[in-house]
Amino acid sequence: MKQIYFLIVVVAGGLLSGCGGGGDRGELTGVPQRSFKAEVPYGMVYIPGGSFMMGQTDQDVTFAQTAQPKQVTEAPFFMDQTEITNSQYKKFVFWVRDSIAITNYVNDNKYYLQPKGGRGANASGKKYINWAYVKKNPVWSSKKGAASNRSKLQGMFYQNEDRVFDRDELDVRLLKYNYALMVLRDAANHRNDPKSRRSDFILRDTVTVYPDTLVWLSDFSYAANEPMVEAYFSHPAFRNYPVVGVTWRQARAFTVWRTRYNEAYKNSRHLPPRADYRLPTEGEFEYAARGGRLGTDYPWGGPYIKNAKGCLLANFKPGRGNYTDDGGAYTVNVRSYFPNDYGLYNMAGNVAEWTSSAFDESASTFVHDLAPTFAVEAKSSDPEVLKRKVVRGGSWKDIGYFLQNSTRTYEYQDTAKSYIGFRCVTSYLGRDIKDKR
């Protein structure tokens, strides 16, 4: 009987200890976490990882020799199917506009999240905008209650001599976006420096977000492009055309905002976030542009820029300047022409696109062969040569050479052009084997 009693005590003790350990019976099962299932972000396509020969092919008929061919490998990622449109970028502009209006001009607690106790601020004294309320009660609405807001918002319009026909027009110089992000490369380079602090590797930037609409005139001398200045970003006829007049810094600010915008939704539903949105590296752009094809000149293959029916396959400057021969005198709808084999539109032509990579003529000789890129976080005081960012894809005003998959050029990070836009990528996050079924 004593032996049986002892056995019962041992079994009971084991059960109790298992319950006390969270039901893992003392085994190493890992921290409980919600399962994560990779999703294709809205408006993006999945780009499978793989290896390719980066740089110009053996058919380098121009003998440019601007980059040494190099076999590299890219991890899988998601990429915007099209260039960022005026409509999409305008959502960023409106978010910044409403944030400034609420925090600096309206100052009404109804537009803020109300913590327990109804004081209008959390324990740290910070207020957070209730975007669900803003959506139902727009700050700029002409409905009931807008009259009081209208008077408060007068300071956001051009004043006195800056007014035209006494109209209320938004002073876009006020639209600035403040953000911060970690410069991980700098952190890695100084990880063993005992004098370094975390704050040393935090980049803080303030960027005006409204596109420079005057680029349609400043980019071209003696060209009557005033209608494009007045209508391209503001008129709904161009809502699905690629946004232009955006600097590299503005494009990066957009990726930060897009990340936080999606993150806020995920947090509200206690869902794990996706990887940050960002600009593609130079390698990712070329890899995606090739669409899985090897040794081809253009996203559609090539070697010709016309199909069998004689139709041009991209928006660029054909011949000696017959701009309309491809269907558009300037930019065209972002879903024009056929996509490449990955489902990406206009990876050549329409607008050239910013990448996250810094430009160096000899970059192909020293970048790694796995996820290659050359990045420089140039400060305003740095030499101009450090502010060059790689631009890929060619544009509506470029000749056919710039449409080639391997052609690389650059522009300075603080300049805006009527022929440069961008699209975003986000890294593919791995998932459990069970979730891959």
Side-chain angles (χ1 to χ4, degrees):
M1 289 294 294
K2 290 183 178 180
Q3 291 178 344
I4 296 175
Y5 176 76
F6 175 75
L7 181 60
I8 293 174
V9 170
V10 171
V11 172
L15 291 174
L16 290 173
S17 64
C19 293
D24 58 12
R25 297 179 179 271
E27 303 294 344
L28 183 61
T29 59
V31 176
Q33 289 180 300
R34 297 191 60 168
S35 61
F36 176 74
K37 208 167 188 176
E39 57 180 355
V40 179
Y42 179 80
M44 289 188 154
V45 295
Y46 173 70
I47 310 298
S51 178
F52 75 108
M53 189 63 69
M54 185 175 177
Q56 291 175 314
T57 66
D58 294 337
Q59 302 176 33
D60 179 16
V61 295
T62 59
F63 297 99
Q65 299 179 346
T66 56
Q68 177 181 337
K70 182 175 187 175
Q71 184 169 353
V72 301
T73 300
E74 293 290 348
F77 58 95
F78 298 104
M79 187 177 223
D80 279 325
Q81 195 171 24
T82 68
E83 301 128 336
I84 295 297
T85 65
N86 284 322
S87 177
Q88 291 171 324
Y89 192 84
K90 198 173 290 185
K91 189 163 188 175
F92 174 40
V93 173
F94 284 1
W95 187 94
V96 173
R97 178 200 65 181
D98 291 349
S99 298
I100 294 173
I102 292 170
T103 55
N104 295 350
Y105 293 89
V106 176
N107 293 318
D108 190 336
N109 280 335
K110 294 197 300 292
Y111 288 101
Y112 294 97
L113 292 171
Q114 299 298 321
K116 294 180 180 179
R119 295 182 179 179
N122 61 14
S124 63
K126 294 183 179 180
K127 292 183 177 181
Y128 296 95
I129 296 175
N130 185 348
W131 289 105
Y133 180 85
V134 175
K135 186 176 181 179
K136 296 178 181 178
N137 304 273
V139 183
W140 304 83
S141 175
S142 58
K143 296 180 181 179
K144 182 180 178 181
S148 58
N149 280 350
R150 194 72 178 180
S151 62
K152 294 178 181 179
L153 294 171
Q154 283 300 311
M156 293 192 70
F157 300 124
Y158 288 108
Q159 305 293 317
N160 305 321
E161 291 83 2
D162 289 333
R163 296 169 69 89
V164 178
F165 291 121
D166 204 34
R167 293 181 299 199
D168 286 338
E169 295 177 297
L170 190 68
D171 187 348
V172 296
R173 296 170 298 181
L174 300 175
L175 305 184
K176 297 179 180 181
Y177 181 63
N178 305 311
Y179 70 92
L181 54 80
M182 292 293 300
V183 183
L184 299 179
R185 174 60 60 186
D186 287 349
N189 291 340
H190 295 84
R191 65 188 182 281
N192 295 322
D193 184 357
K195 297 181 180 180
S196 295
R197 298 175 301 172
R198 189 172 190 264
S199 59
D200 295 336
F201 314 119
I202 299 178
L203 170 71
R204 304 183 190 277
D205 201 4
T206 299
V207 179
T208 55
V209 301
Y210 202 85
D212 182 0
T213 57
L214 290 172
V215 292
W216 293 102
L217 293 176
S218 60
D219 288 345
F220 308 97
S221 299
Y222 309 109
N225 289 336
E226 283 83 356
M228 300 298 285
V229 173
E230 296 170 344
Y232 187 76
F233 185 67
S234 57
H235 199 281
F238 294 102
R239 64 187 181 278
N240 291 323
Y241 282 55
V243 66
V244 297
V246 175
T247 68
W248 182 87
R249 289 176 60 216
Q250 288 175 315
R252 181 172 67 173
F254 176 90
T255 66
V256 174
W257 168 81
R258 187 176 179 182
T259 298
R260 301 295 169 251
Y261 187 76
N262 180 262
E263 192 177 71
Y265 172 83
K266 297 285 189 181
N267 290 340
S268 68
R269 285 157 177 76
H270 306 289
L271 298 173
R274 62 175 60 126
D276 289 355
Y277 290 99
R278 53 185 174 80
L279 295 174
T281 66
E282 181 181 10
E284 286 174 329
F285 190 94
E286 182 173 335
Y287 176 67
R290 292 183 179 277
R293 296 172 180 259
L294 300 177
T296 56
D297 295 328
Y298 303 101
W300 53 85
Y304 305 110
I305 302 182
K306 291 184 178 181
N307 62 16
K309 295 182 178 180
C311 299
L312 291 166
L313 297 172
N315 180 21
F316 66 113
K317 180 182 178 180
R320 296 187 178 183
N322 188 358
Y323 289 92
T324 58
D325 203 26
D326 52 35
Y330 298 97
T331 58
V332 293
N333 189 297
V334 294
R335 290 185 179 271
S336 300
Y337 311 101
F338 289 106
N340 72 357
D341 289 351
Y342 283 152
L344 300 167
Y345 288 86
N346 293 301
M347 291 298 284
N350 210 19
V351 291
E353 301 180 31
W354 290 114
T355 72
S356 62
S357 301
F359 182 86
D360 187 286
E361 292 84 346
S362 59
S364 62
T365 63
F366 60 78
V367 294
H368 204 280
D369 60 354
L370 175 60
T373 191
F374 170 56
V376 175
E377 195 58 57
K379 303 178 179 62
S380 58
S381 57
D382 286 336
E384 290 298 303
V385 69
L386 297 180
K387 300 177 183 178
R388 300 184 299 177
K389 302 299 181 183
V390 175
V391 175
R392 286 284 194 144
S395 74
W396 60 270
K397 65 90 186 172
D398 290 323
I399 59 175
Y401 166 75
F402 292 96
L403 271 62
Q404 295 183 48
N405 295 323
S406 58
T407 301
R408 59 199 301 264
T409 184
Y410 68 88
E411 192 51 73
Y412 296 96
Q413 65 184 36
D414 290 312
T415 59
K417 299 295 181 180
S418 61
Y419 46 85
I420 299 180
F422 69 100
R423 73 180 77 204
C424 304
V425 298
T426 178
S427 297
Y428 171 83
L429 298 178
R431 49 185 176 173
D432 295 335
I433 295 178
K434 293 180 181 179
D435 295 330
K436 290 185 178 180
R437 296 175 183 176

